[in-house]
Each structure stands twice: as structure tokens, then as C-alpha cells.
């Protein structure tokens, strides 16, 4: 890590220097870990707009260039040339698998795809109409009640077993949440199918007839998984890292990540975006909603637009729009009402000075809902699909954090603006 450059702070007549650290790509950072000790001052960065919470080798985003790299490989090439399990292997191990490693990893994941049969009883504790994200928070967290055989996370083998269990079981857990909501029987995994085809089998198959997923649709969903696999230190990944920094087990940490992802400002935006498109209903009403999005007194935001990092375009949105066109074409839905509405909304928004000035472009969630709806996935399941894919990134970031030699429990400070010190008055004086 190159740290010859220094940042100088002059405060209260004192001059203090801090090393400037340079990574492989992206912004350099000022190492301020000694700031409090040297000056008695903290930094204030609500929302972490200018804060690097860690060093990481997993994912790089360039918001101005609209660039997203997983372990150095551009998302466009990975989406085109690899499947999701290859990308999962890459994120976990740092390199793409060769043919032998790929086959071995696929077979390993298949052998962990079933849930302990006792876990199926968790579902019956939920109302049938429970939001599937609530079910996922509960069931994924409960995994830690079943796997005591590999809980020494200082042991690389134990970490690998837990990571593989999560990658393998999330599709089963998500599909079971969908089946439970529908009142249909759970479908067991099929080891003769690939990862994403198996997920579609567990979602849409029934015991009454054989189900062979459409390979075009399988490929589309597999690309959607790849596009959602990881994304640097976003809110849910930071949640997983912070939870893991206390030594909490990975299942509980992933459950915390799922809870954070659920929010409409984050992963819940794809569900919110489709609901918004349904509410707009017709191109003739787009102007009304653009006006509302610009109105400071109106809390309405255009779901699927804007991003903390991407200030040019979200490369995933472009790829998602392409997948969307392919799926709608395969299904003969080229004239899909919502897709046409979304394209028109995107066109109008991108010509509007408010969106141009604030650099608000479609993000990964904008087309995600339309393509998932076309695949037969209900709106309430959209964020579950996001969580299924992002579990690979979350658990990789978790392992990077706990194996970092500089690893400490995350414990931010604050600027206290509450009541000054005072004595408790007797009750007759309150
Ligand atoms: C994801 O971080 C990640 O990497 C997340 C993610 C991942 O893969 O993990 O990429 C996934 O969460 C994508 C984002 C999905 N969320 C949405 O689509 C919800 C709608 N978008 C907004 O809520 C918002 O754009 C955020 C939350 C995504 C980003 O918020 P920021 O960076 O905190 O920016 P901001 O809210 O301060 O907005 C800056 C300005 C504000 O106006 P001013 O106060 O400066 O006048 O832009 C406005 C906002 O009001 N603005 C919008 C808007 N998004 C921002 N105005 C209308 N519609 C919008 N969508």
C-alpha cells in the first residue's frame, strides 16, 4: 500500500499529518485512524459519503465511468461469458474456475442444496400472506440453529463449509417461501439440473407433472443473479460486515443483510419500482409523476432511479434492459405495457433537466421488476431474488473482513448534540 503522500490538517494552531493511501483503482484515502488520538477530533460523515470503511479486493465501482468489476473482471464480460456459479466461485476464491474446478464446485453446491427437514416447520409458523422477505430473515437466521459442526470461523475449512451451505441453500429457502405463500407443496432440489434451472424448478414445478425450465429464461435469470452478486460497500454489505465484526455467525450476519436490503431505498426498490409503474399505469401520466419526483414537498421518488455511486449510468441497468428485451421477445411480450411505459419514463426522465442536473439515471432495480414479472416471479419475491444473488457477495465480504489482519469490531463514534449534563430533580420539581 503506497502511503508516501501525506494530508496535512491545521487545527487549533496544531499541524498534523496523515498518510494518504492509494489502491489499485479509484479514490485515494486519508488514513485518519490516529486523528482522535492526535487531535481529540472525530470526522463527521453521516451516510458515509466520503468514508472508506475497509480495504477490499472483491468489487470495484467507478461511478463516473459506469464501471463495475468483480475481482478485476468487467461485469459485461462476466454476464456474457460466465454463469452465476462461476461468478460465485470467482468472488469467493479470487479467480475464475477452470473446467475441473467449475464441475467440482457445481457438484459441491448441489450436495448442500437441501434444507434440514426440521427447517420446513419454520415456514408453517408464518401466516401464508407474510412478506417473503420477513420469512427469509427468519429462516436464514435460523440456519445457525442447525449447523454447529462448522462454527470455528478461524478455520478456513469451516468458513468454506458455511459459505457453500449459504450459496446452496438460499435458492431452496427462497423457493420454499414462494411455495408457502402460494399454498403449494415444497419442491425438493433436483441434482440433475444446474443451479438456476433447479431454482426455477423449485419455484414453478409441482409434484403433479414434470417441469423443464425454458433455457432462454434460465439464462436470463442466471444473468440477473450475476448482476446482483456484489456491489462494494453498499448498505446491506456494510450491515453484514458490521454484524460479522462482533464475531456473530455468518448465518445471522446474512439475515441482517437481508433485513437491510428489504428497504425501498435499497434492494426493495425493484418491488417499489414495479408498483410505481403499475400506479402510473399509462404514458400519459408520466409527466405527473416526474413533476412529483421533482417536488421538494413531495416525498415521492422515482423508484429505480438514482444511485449513491453511479453518476453517469449503472452498467447493470443497461445489461438488465438487454435481458428484459430478450425475455419479453422469447415470451412474445415485446409490447408489454409496463416495459413500454418504463422505456418512455426513462426517455422522458433522461431529458429532464432535474434528472440531468442531479445525475439520476436508471439503476439495477429499474428493469429488474419488469423482467422478473415476465419470468412469472411475483412482485413480493423480487427482493428475495436480489438477496439470493447478493448472498454470494455478502458472504465473500464477510470472509474478507474476518480474515483481514486489521480486523476490529466496528464501533463508530458520534457528535453528541443532546442535553448538557444536569442533575435529576426530585419528582415535585419536574
Ligand atoms: C440499490 O449502494 C448500492 O450499491 C446499492 C445497490 C446495490 O447493488 O447494492 O446498487 C442497489 O440500492 C440501488 C438503488 C435502489 N434505490 C432506488 O431506486 C430508490 C430511489 N433512489 C433514491 O432513493 C436515491 O437515489 C438513492 C437512495 C439510491 C441514492 O440516494 P443518495 O445517494 O443518498 O442521494 P440523495 O437521496 O441525497 O439524492 C440526491 C438528490 C436529492 O435531491 P436534493 O436533496 O439534492 O435536492 O437527488 C434526489 C434527492 O431528492 N433524488 C431523487 C431520486 N434519487 C435522488 N429525486 C427523485 N427520484 C429519485 N429516484
Amino acid at each position: 500500500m503506497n502511503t508516501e503522500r501525506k494530508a496535512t490538517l491545521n487545527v487549533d494552531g496544531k499541524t498534523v499529518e496523515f498518510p494518504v493511501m492509494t489502491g489499485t483503482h479509484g479514490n485515494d484515502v486519508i488514513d485518519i485512524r490516529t486523528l482522535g488520538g492526535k487531535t481529540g477530533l472525530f470526522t463527521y460523515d453521516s451516510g458515509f459519503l466520503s468514508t472508506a470503511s475497509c480495504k477490499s479486493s472483491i468489487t470495484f465501482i467507478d461511478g463516473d465511468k459506469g464501471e463495475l468489476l468483480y475481482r478485476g473482471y468487467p461485469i459485461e464480460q462476466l454476464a456474457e461469458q460466465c454463469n452465476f456459479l462461476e461468478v460465485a466461485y470467482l468472488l469467493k476464491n479470487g479467480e475464475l474456475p477452470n473446467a475441473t474446478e467449475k464441475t467440482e464446485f457445481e457438484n459441491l453446491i448441489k450436495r448442500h442444496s437441501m434444507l434440514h427437514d426440521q427447517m420446513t416447520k419454520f415456514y408453517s409458523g408464518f401466516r401464508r400472506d407474510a412478506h417473503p422477505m420477513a420469512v427469509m430473515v427468519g429462516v436464514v437466521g435460523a440456519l445457525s440453529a442447525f449447523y454447529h459442526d462448522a462454527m470455528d470461523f478461524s478455520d478456513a475449512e469451516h468458513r468454506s463449509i458455511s459459505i457453500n451451505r449459504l450459496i446452496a441453500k438460499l435458492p431452496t429457502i427462497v423457493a420454499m417461501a414462494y411455495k408457502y405463500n402460494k399454498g403449494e407443496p415444497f419442491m425438493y432440489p433436483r441434482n440433475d439440473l444446474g443451479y438456476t434451472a433447479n431454482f426455477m424448478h423449485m419455484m414453478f414445478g409441482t409434484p403433479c407433472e414434470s417441469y423443464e425450465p425454458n433455457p432462454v429464461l434460465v439464462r436470463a435469470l442466471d444473468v440477473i443473479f450475476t448482476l446482483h452478486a456484489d456491489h462494494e460497500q453498499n448498505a446491506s454489505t456494510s450491515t453484514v460486515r458490521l454484524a460479522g465484526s462482533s464475531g456473530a455467525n455468518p448465518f445471522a450476519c446474512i439475515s441482517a443483510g437481508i433485513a437491510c436490503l428489504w428497504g425501498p431505498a435499497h434492494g426493495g426498490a425493484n418491488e417499489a419500482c414495479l408498483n410505481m409503474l403499475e400506479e402510473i399505469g399509462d404514458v400519459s401520466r408520466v409527466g405527473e409523476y416526474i413533476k412529483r419526483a421533482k417536488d421538494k414537498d413531495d416525498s415521492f421518488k422515482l423508484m429505480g432511479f438514482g444511485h449513491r455511486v453511479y453518476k453517469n449510468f449503472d452498467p447493470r441497468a443497461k445489461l438488465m434492459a438487454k435481458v428484459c428485451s430478450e425475455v419479453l421477445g422469447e415470451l412474445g411480450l415485446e409490447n408489454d405495457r409496463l416495459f413500454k411505459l418504463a422505456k418512455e419514463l426513462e426517455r422522458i426522465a433522461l431529458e429532464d433537466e432535474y434528472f440531468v442536473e442531479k445525475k439520476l439515471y436508471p439503476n439495477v432495480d429499474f428493469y429488474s421488476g419488469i423482467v422478473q414479472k415476465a419470468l412469472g416471479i411475483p412482485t413480493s419475491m423480487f427482493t428475495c431474488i436480489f438477496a439470493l444473488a447478493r448472498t454470494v457477495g455478502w458472504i465473500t465480504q464477510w470472509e474478507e473482513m474476518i480474515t483481514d489482519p486489521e480486523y476490529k469490531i466496528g464501533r463508530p463514534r458520534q457528535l453528541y448534540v443532546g442535553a448538557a449534563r444536569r442533575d435529576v430533580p426530585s419528582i415535585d420539581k419536574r
Side-chain angles (χ1 to χ4, degrees):
M1 191 69 59
N2 175 350
T3 58
E4 276 128 41
R5 283 167 58 207
K6 301 287 182 207
T8 302
L9 177 66
N10 298 306
V11 63
D12 303 336
K14 278 172 70 177
T15 299
V16 188
E17 282 196 337
F18 300 95
V20 173
M21 301 159 79
T22 301
T24 313
H25 297 311
N27 302 60
D28 293 345
V29 300
I30 302 172
D31 181 351
I32 57 158
R33 285 174 288 180
T34 60
L35 174 70
K38 286 181 178 172
T39 67
L41 296 171
F42 295 152
T43 59
Y44 180 71
D45 187 13
S46 169
F48 310 119
L49 287 100
S50 303
T51 293
S53 61
C54 63
K55 295 176 197 162
S56 182
S57 310
I58 300 167
T59 293
F60 174 72
I61 304 171
D62 184 319
D64 295 327
K65 285 199 283 186
E67 183 177 52
L68 168 58
L69 310 176
Y70 290 164
R71 299 285 191 184
Y73 293 112
I75 190 69
E76 294 82 359
Q77 295 180 29
L78 291 169
E80 184 70 32
Q81 300 176 44
C82 300
N83 69 25
F84 175 68
L85 269 197
E86 285 178 280
V87 170
Y89 184 100
L90 167 69
L91 287 168
K92 178 172 182 270
N93 300 297
E95 297 298 338
L96 283 163
N98 59 33
T100 306
E101 290 162 336
K102 177 181 174 185
T103 304
E104 285 171 358
F105 186 59
E106 286 171 342
N107 291 335
L108 178 67
I109 293 300
K110 282 179 180 178
R111 284 201 307 276
H112 285 283
S113 55
M114 278 210 295
L115 281 192
H116 189 294
D117 218 40
Q118 281 292 104
M119 291 208 71
T120 59
K121 294 177 173 51
F122 277 108
Y123 287 80
S124 53
F126 291 99
R127 286 170 44 138
R128 288 280 181 180
D129 61 355
H131 195 291
M133 283 295 278
V135 175
M136 282 187 68
V137 169
V139 173
V140 171
L143 285 170
S144 49
F146 285 81
Y147 297 113
H148 304 290
D149 60 333
M151 282 293 197
D152 172 7
F153 299 116
S154 62
D155 179 328
E157 185 51 29
H158 282 204
R159 292 197 303 270
S160 186
I161 291 170
S162 295
I163 291 169
N164 293 337
R165 278 173 168 154
L166 280 159
I167 294 172
K169 297 180 192 308
L170 257 290
T172 311
I173 289 169
V174 170
M176 287 169 72
Y178 173 64
K179 286 302 198 187
Y180 183 74
N181 180 264
K182 282 196 77 176
E184 288 185 4
F186 296 143
M187 295 297 286
Y188 284 106
R190 271 179 49 186
N191 288 351
D192 63 315
L193 293 176
Y195 187 85
T196 304
N198 182 38
F199 173 65
M200 291 184 79
H201 149 71
M202 293 189 288
M203 284 281 286
F204 304 121
T206 70
C208 315
E209 56 191 20
S210 69
Y211 171 82
E212 290 307 324
N214 175 326
V216 173
L217 304 186
V218 170
R219 177 64 189 146
L221 187 55
D222 194 82
V223 170
I224 289 173
F225 287 167
T226 290
L227 297 180
H228 287 86
D230 193 52
H231 212 240
E232 201 216 62
Q233 305 311 318
N234 58 83
S236 52
T237 299
S238 299
T239 299
V240 170
R241 278 181 171 260
L242 199 54
S245 74
S246 73
N249 72 73
F251 307 104
C253 295
I254 298 302
S255 176
I258 293 170
C260 177
L261 185 75
W262 194 0
H266 192 10
N270 52 20
E271 177 178 357
C273 181
L274 200 90
N275 292 335
M276 175 192 73
L277 290 171
E278 293 284 10
E279 183 186 328
I280 294 173
D282 183 84
V283 173
S284 62
R285 298 186 64 200
V286 166
E288 172 195 335
Y289 282 83
I290 296 273
K291 186 164 175 285
R292 284 190 58 194
K294 293 156 60 173
D295 180 354
K296 282 285 152 247
D297 298 324
D298 189 333
S299 61
F300 173 78
K301 280 199 160 69
L302 220 46
M303 289 290 115
F305 268 77
H307 199 276
R308 171 63 54 78
V309 177
Y310 291 121
K311 300 305 175 190
N312 193 335
F313 64 91
D314 182 337
R316 302 169 299 173
K318 286 181 178 284
L319 292 164
M320 190 67 79
K322 182 167 172 282
V323 167
C324 203
S325 297
E326 287 165 3
V327 166
L328 295 175
E330 173 69 15
L331 296 172
L333 299 173
E334 295 89 339
N335 293 319
D336 176 82
R337 173 179 60 88
L338 290 180
F339 185 55
K340 290 176 78 173
L341 177 58
K343 295 297 277 184
E344 184 60 9
L345 177 59
E346 179 186 19
R347 182 189 66 78
I348 295 171
L350 296 186
E351 289 172 358
D352 186 289
E353 65 186 28
Y354 172 91
F355 289 86
V356 173
E357 182 243 325
K358 292 188 184 298
K359 300 182 182 296
L360 301 176
Y361 297 87
N363 58 48
V364 68
D365 292 303
F366 186 62
Y367 287 104
S368 161
I370 298 168
V371 63
Q372 289 189 62
K373 183 172 186 286
L375 289 171
I377 296 165
T379 308
S380 62
M381 292 294 298
F382 290 173
T383 313
C384 301
I385 303 292
F386 194 151
L388 184 165
R390 185 54 58 87
T391 291
V392 171
W394 285 332
I395 201 62
T396 299
Q397 298 266 354
W398 167 81
E399 182 170 46
E400 183 179 67
M401 183 267 302
I402 66 169
T403 54
D404 179 345
E406 295 180 354
Y407 154 54
K408 286 181 183 303
I409 187 167
R411 206 296 186 199
R413 300 303 304 274
Q414 64 176 14
L415 175 68
Y416 176 68
V417 294
R421 181 183 177 78
R422 54 183 171 165
D423 296 326
V424 175
S426 57
I427 191 155
D428 57 322
K429 290 192 171 62
R430 287 179 202 164

